[in-house]
Amino acid sequence: MSDRKLLVTDPASDQTLELPVVAGSEGDPTIDIAKLYPSLGYFTFDPGYGSTASCQSDITFIDGQQGILRYRGYPIEQLAENASFLEVAYLLLYGELPTSTQYAEFERDITYHTMVHEKINNFINGFHYDAHPMAILSGVVGSMAAFYHDKLDVKDPEQRELAAKRLIAKMPTIAAAAYRHHMGWPVAYPRNSLDYSERFLDMMFSVPAEQYTVNPVAAKALNLLFILHADHEQNASTSTVRLVGSTGANPYACVSAGLAALWGPAHGGANEAVLNMLNEIGDISKAGEFMARAKDKNDPFRLMGFGHRVYKNFDPRATIIRQACYEVLEELGQSDPLLDLAMELEKIALEDEYFVERKLYPNVDFYSGIIYKALGIPTSMFTAMFAIGRTVGWVSHWLEQSASAHRIGRPRQVYTGATAREYTSIDDRKPSA
Ligand code: CMC
């Protein structure tokens, strides 16, 4: 709490209330409105939460005006350049980068939990072959509460930590199994001699009939993307995990809800939507036509991968991924006309009054699909890839909330429906106009 206060005066009652200003370690000052309703009888109205901080958190800092993103104080650029995904996972979970001993122990723990109960594979087999991987992930992760119910006491910190590790360890296993189910391939069990990203690629692409060797370029690219996806403070899916967690629900239910929220095209589903959009545009010569459609308020078409609630400047993750696109394509000896098309769309947008005025810049999803495509990952799996990285953020926030005093999340509303009226018997009712 800072010494600053905001005075609110209600002319109707002539009452004045002092509202404390909450100061974080950095970031915009925030008014604590908890006393507003009890004292003056007013709620606040903020649909979409554009001006609302829902909690205090030590995990991730974003400055949307300057395009800054830091995990536990470390700039995303430095982590992307130097760290392994599990190092970042440790950082997000525990607040500090691990020593080599702590890292070895953490990696061993995660690796130990990579297998899933065999009956989970039966469960996956029950889905139709063309089920979307996010539908499978959300359903199967929710079902984990039925498979691992011996350690579900959310009041016990050790059991919470175990659930968090299980989720980080098993998410890639389940995601790869969802893909293999679609392909009609037998399940590939996790090979624990590989690291996190290599193991995922092996579970995705190895088949019993052939020797599969993980391409180190692909593993390095995945490591980078998982780091960039790992956390983003109170985004829609993380807020969903926290809201569900505030009821005392089990961690698998919370993360299953987070997966469902992530799937939406305004959120993590945008990476799949971007690639579909680039394919639909098809050619640089059509870029102008589609940009005009994106600006037309009578056309539902939006430039997917553009815009962000918080960033009013470049999304720093997009800058890193754009550079990585070139490197990965070059190292894999590939070229992709969709990258040229994406660059052209970006160029037009950065010079266009509509996009400049609204501060719409490329976000994390604009370029990531081009890398996933180069690695052979099908478009329908893109959001599942995002989910693997974001699982670390979800469980870090769930652990942070669970370890501190918190109330059930329960917003109010501005009621706009019918006022009180009398019940009439069915025979006396007239059809409404
Ligand atoms: N294309 C065209 N116009 C846009 C776009 C876009 N992609 N994004 C925002 N606008 C316009 C919007 O129509 C509005 O215009 P006006 O002021 O004339 O009504 C203005 O810009 C402000 O947009 P908003 O919808 O009020 O902004 P928001 O903060 O509620 O939504 C967003 C943010 C990310 C949902 C939105 O920009 C969007 O739908 N982008 C495309 C989907 C996308 O790329 N999502 C991924 C987000 S980043 C990763 C993640 O969250 O997982």
Side-chain angles (χ1 to χ4, degrees):
M1 211 60 79
S2 78
D3 294 338
R4 284 173 67 183
K5 306 242 183 297
L6 211 85
L7 295 181
V8 178
T9 304
D10 178 9
S13 62
D14 207 23
Q15 264 187 293
T16 295
L17 179 67
E18 273 191 358
L19 293 176
V21 174
V22 187
S25 47
E26 53 185 329
D28 296 322
T30 303
I31 310 160
D32 177 349
I33 55 159
K35 293 229 163 59
L36 189 63
Y37 179 65
S39 303
L40 298 185
Y42 288 97
F43 290 124
T44 54
F45 182 54
D46 183 21
Y49 312 119
S51 299
T52 296
S54 62
C55 64
Q56 296 196 4
S57 178
D58 295 350
I59 300 174
T60 288
F61 174 71
I62 303 175
D63 181 330
Q65 300 301 329
Q66 297 192 57
I68 291 174
L69 168 62
R70 296 190 208 115
Y71 295 164
R72 303 280 191 183
Y74 293 99
I76 192 66
E77 293 79 7
Q78 291 181 23
L79 294 169
E81 175 77 28
N82 301 300
S84 76
F85 173 64
L86 283 190
E87 233 181 314
V88 169
Y90 187 99
L91 173 70
L92 288 168
L93 285 170
Y94 301 111
E96 297 296 336
L97 285 167
T99 62
S100 49
T101 315
Q102 287 167 332
Y103 183 75
E105 200 180 312
F106 181 65
E107 190 178 33
R108 200 170 47 242
D109 275 1
I110 296 295
T111 305
Y112 180 78
H113 288 291
T114 50
M115 279 179 66
V116 293
H117 193 291
E118 194 59 26
K119 289 213 162 66
I120 287 188
N121 291 322
N122 294 351
F123 186 27
I124 292 174
N125 275 329
F127 283 91
H128 205 282
Y129 80 96
D130 62 356
H132 195 283
M134 287 302 285
I136 298 183
L137 264 190
S138 178
V140 171
V141 168
S143 82
M144 285 171 73
F147 289 100
Y148 303 103
H149 50 73
D150 55 323
K151 295 276 190 296
L152 266 190
D153 181 358
V154 297
K155 295 206 166 61
D156 177 347
E158 271 179 39
Q159 295 193 34
R160 291 201 298 260
E161 190 177 351
L162 175 62
K165 287 180 177 165
R166 278 181 166 150
L167 279 157
I168 295 168
K170 295 183 200 305
M171 194 65 79
T173 312
I174 299 168
Y179 169 65
R180 298 179 76 89
H181 174 63
H182 167 71
M183 297 299 286
W185 295 348
V187 160
Y189 293 98
R191 276 175 57 201
N192 284 352
S193 56
L194 301 174
D195 77 16
Y196 195 85
S197 302
E198 292 168 342
R199 187 164 52 241
F200 175 73
L201 286 166
D202 184 73
M203 287 189 290
M204 277 288 285
F205 297 122
S206 63
V207 287
E210 303 261 349
Q211 179 72 29
Y212 176 77
T213 312
V214 176
N215 184 334
V217 174
K220 187 172 158 227
L222 266 198
N223 182 69
L224 172 74
L225 289 168
F226 287 156
I227 290 174
L228 297 178
H229 287 321
D231 194 40
H232 214 230
E233 54 119 293
Q234 309 310 320
N235 57 87
S237 58
T238 303
S239 296
T240 301
V241 169
R242 277 191 180 255
L243 185 63
V244 178
S246 78
T247 70
N250 74 71
Y252 306 108
C254 298
V255 171
S256 169
L259 282 157
L262 184 76
W263 191 7
H267 191 11
N271 55 11
E272 179 176 343
V274 168
L275 215 84
N276 291 335
M277 174 190 80
L278 293 176
N279 280 321
E280 189 190 344
I281 299 174
D283 190 77
I284 284 193
S285 62
K286 295 246 188 77
E289 178 192 322
F290 278 84
M291 290 303 279
R293 283 187 57 194
K295 296 187 285 180
D296 181 355
K297 295 289 174 205
N298 298 317
D299 189 325
F301 178 80
R302 278 196 161 195
L303 189 60
M304 299 311 286
F306 255 74
H308 197 277
R309 169 61 62 78
V310 183
Y311 293 119
K312 300 303 166 199
N313 200 322
F314 258 86
D315 178 337
R317 302 166 299 175
T319 312
I320 298 170
I321 297 179
R322 185 177 52 178
Q323 181 57 30
C325 266
Y326 285 109
E327 290 166 10
V328 171
L329 288 177
E330 194 183 317
E331 286 176 51
L332 293 175
Q334 297 183 18
S335 66
D336 189 340
L338 293 188
L339 178 57
D340 300 329
L341 176 56
M343 291 291 297
E344 180 64 16
L345 291 171
E346 180 187 309
K347 189 164 156 279
I348 299 175
L350 293 182
E351 289 164 3
D352 188 290
E353 202 185 310
Y354 174 97
F355 288 86
V356 173
E357 238 176 39
R358 290 169 178 76
K359 300 193 165 114
L360 301 171
Y361 292 90
N363 61 47
V364 68
D365 293 317
F366 193 61
Y367 288 105
S368 61
I370 294 173
I371 302 189
Y372 287 135
K373 181 171 169 253
L375 306 187
I377 291 166
T379 316
S380 62
M381 278 293 289
F382 287 2
T383 311
M385 305 302 297
F386 193 151
I388 294 172
R390 185 55 56 88
T391 298
V392 167
W394 291 331
V395 296
S396 299
H397 283 270
W398 177 75
L399 286 173
E400 181 180 65
Q401 175 177 268
S402 304
S404 57
H406 62 273
R407 300 172 78 193
I408 186 170
R410 196 346 181 151
R412 297 302 305 269
Q413 63 174 5
V414 177
Y415 176 69
T416 54
T419 52
R421 47 185 170 164
E422 297 295 322
Y423 179 84
T424 49
S425 82
I426 196 160
D427 299 330
D428 297 338
R429 285 176 217 161
K430 300 195 170 49
S432 47

